[in-house]
Amino acid sequence: MSDQESSNIDPYKFLKISLNQDGTLTRPESFPCVPPIPDPSDLTDSQLALSKDIRTTNGILLRLFSPLESSGKLPLIIYFHGGGFVFFSATSAPFHNSCIRMATVCKALVLSVDYRLAPENRLPAAYDDAVEAITWVRDQANNVNGCDPWLKEHADFSKVFLMGSSAGGTIVYYSGLRALDMDLTPIKIGGLIINQGYFGGVERTQSELRLVNDRVVPLASNDLMWSLALPEGVDRDHEYCNPSIGSSSEKIQRLPRCLVRGYGGDPLVDRQKELAKMLEGRGVHVTAKFDEEGAHAIELTDPVKATKLYDEIKNFVHSTAN
């Protein structure tokens, strides 16, 4: 089945985007950006976490969330939002609100990374930004040029987790591999949380073919987003996209424990299951959670699924399993 035959959907119209002559993208204003709320007096009754913006030395925006009812040291979750590497930011309302709930339910600090988007910044730009964020956290723990007061007071740097949904989950996997070659002392990455990871490959999976015209991630839009995100001139069987490329690397077996999640109604679910199987085969401690009911990014619209996600993250983060 060719890409042209795979779907009757026009991906540009579906995604409401247009590619400009200079290689930039005109995107829809789908979700508003929201400001942080660092002052408790400005919170509403429904908001249970404070937030503030910080920039790294190279100018990457980080939004830090701290639960209101926090005492002592808390785990730190470095979070990467979804959007196919093409859409959204750490300030987009759905992801801002999700981080509030994550910080509140999980009793953790959440650091949301506003990584660069494609096609203006093709991969590995997002992976590079993730590594910079991890490095920034390490430098905070070492008090290089001072430490943010929220982190200094509440962060347990021995319990740092990388978490992402969709493209964010993909960033977690590849930046987690890169981190293995870094001296992160004194921080310790205690686990990777890959929620509905956005992985690809040239050969179609059964779930992709079964859900070719999916209402959230139809195959045509999936292909387009990868073509915009990957380096020019490569296909989806590339190391930035397909985990099976380079799966023989000895580094994989050194990854910390992983929580891998997915839903049966997601066209990408077969690739997520393949990732979990590959990791287990390399000796990684994997907690696999696959729910047959649910679509891609459903936790952004379904409160019940969202609550289940946050509960599973909480259990994983606070587990003492190695």
Side-chain angles (χ1 to χ4, degrees), residues 173 243-244 247 252 273-283:
Y173 175 70
S244 68
S247 61
I252 293 175
K273 290 180 177 179
E274 288 170 2
L275 176 74
K277 184 177 180 180
M278 183 270 287
L279 292 173
E280 286 180 323
R282 300 307 305 276

Side-chain angles (χ1 to χ4, degrees), residues 1-320:
M1 179 182 292
S2 70
D3 289 359
Q4 289 77 19
E5 294 168 340
S6 65
S7 176
N8 57 15
I9 291 174
D10 182 327
Y12 284 96
K13 289 183 179 179
F14 180 85
L15 296 171
K16 300 178 182 178
I17 60 175
S18 59
L19 189 61
N20 304 316
Q21 289 187 345
D22 62 358
T24 62
L25 204 64
T26 298
R27 299 169 174 83
E29 296 293 332
S30 300
F31 296 105
C33 293
V34 295
I37 304 179
D39 189 334
S41 64
D42 294 330
L43 292 176
T44 65
D45 291 340
S46 61
Q47 295 171 316
L48 299 174
L50 298 172
S51 55
K52 66 177 178 179
D53 288 346
I54 307 166
R55 288 197 179 271
T56 67
T57 303
N58 291 330
I60 296 175
L61 176 69
L62 308 172
R63 180 161 289 185
L64 179 61
F65 298 80
S66 177
L68 273 182
E69 297 181 2
S70 60
S71 59
K73 298 297 185 179
L74 303 175
L76 174 63
I77 300 173
I78 304 177
Y79 173 77
F80 304 94
H81 66 81
F85 298 104
V86 173
F87 296 102
F88 310 123
S89 79
T91 67
S92 298
F95 301 108
H96 173 90
N97 294 333
S98 181
C99 286
I100 287 175
R101 293 192 293 272
M102 195 187 315
T104 303
V105 173
C106 298
K107 301 300 181 187
L109 297 171
V110 177
L111 187 70
S112 185
V113 182
D114 197 35
Y115 57 87
R116 289 170 292 169
L117 299 179
E120 293 86 353
N121 300 279
R122 292 175 177 266
L123 293 174
Y127 304 151
D128 293 342
D129 291 351
V131 170
E132 181 172 338
I134 296 168
T135 302
W136 181 86
V137 170
R138 179 201 63 192
D139 291 345
Q140 291 289 298
N142 283 311
N143 204 31
V144 176
N145 299 322
C147 183
D148 177 87
W150 289 11
L151 292 175
K152 185 175 183 179
E153 181 177 1
H154 292 300
D156 183 344
F157 291 110
S158 70
K159 296 179 180 178
V160 176
F161 295 81
L162 308 183
M163 188 272 167
S165 295
S166 193
T170 316
I171 293 171
V172 164
Y173 175 70
Y174 287 110
S175 63
L177 284 172
R178 287 192 183 192
L180 295 172
D181 294 328
M182 301 166 57
D183 180 3
L184 296 179
T185 308
I187 76 170
K188 180 180 180 181
I189 296 180
L192 310 183
I193 303 168
I194 302 172
N195 179 49
Q196 296 182 278
Y198 183 66
F199 299 100
V202 171
E203 184 177 352
R204 304 302 190 188
T205 66
Q206 288 299 310
S207 60
E208 288 172 341
L209 296 174
R210 174 170 54 87
L211 298 165
V212 62
N213 289 320
D214 179 64
R215 63 182 181 84
V216 181
V217 194
L219 198 56
S221 68
N222 175 45
D223 290 350
L224 175 59
M225 286 189 289
W226 273 121
S227 73
L228 295 171
L230 287 168
E232 293 186 87
V234 307
D235 62 23
R236 293 184 301 277
D237 281 341
H238 189 275
E239 61 179 335
Y240 296 157
C241 173
N242 188 341
S244 68
I245 306 300
S247 61
S248 61
S249 170
E250 61 82 23
K251 288 204 301 184
I252 293 175
Q253 65 196 44
R254 295 194 283 121
L255 284 172
R257 58 198 178 97
C258 297
L259 171 61
V260 182
R261 302 182 75 260
Y263 297 97
D266 182 356
L268 306 176
V269 68
D270 284 353
R271 297 194 185 278
Q272 297 152 11
K273 290 180 177 179
E274 288 170 2
L275 176 74
K277 184 177 180 180
M278 183 270 287
L279 292 173
E280 286 180 323
R282 300 307 305 276
V284 179
H285 184 282
V286 176
T287 301
K289 299 283 187 179
F290 289 97
D291 186 342
E292 290 307 310
E293 298 293 329
H296 195 77
I298 193 171
E299 70 273 3
L300 297 179
T301 57
D302 185 329
V304 174
K305 295 293 187 185
T307 297
K308 185 176 181 180
L309 167 63
Y310 304 135
D311 284 342
E312 289 178 358
I313 294 172
K314 177 182 178 181
N315 291 337
F316 184 79
V317 166
H318 291 280
S319 169
T320 58

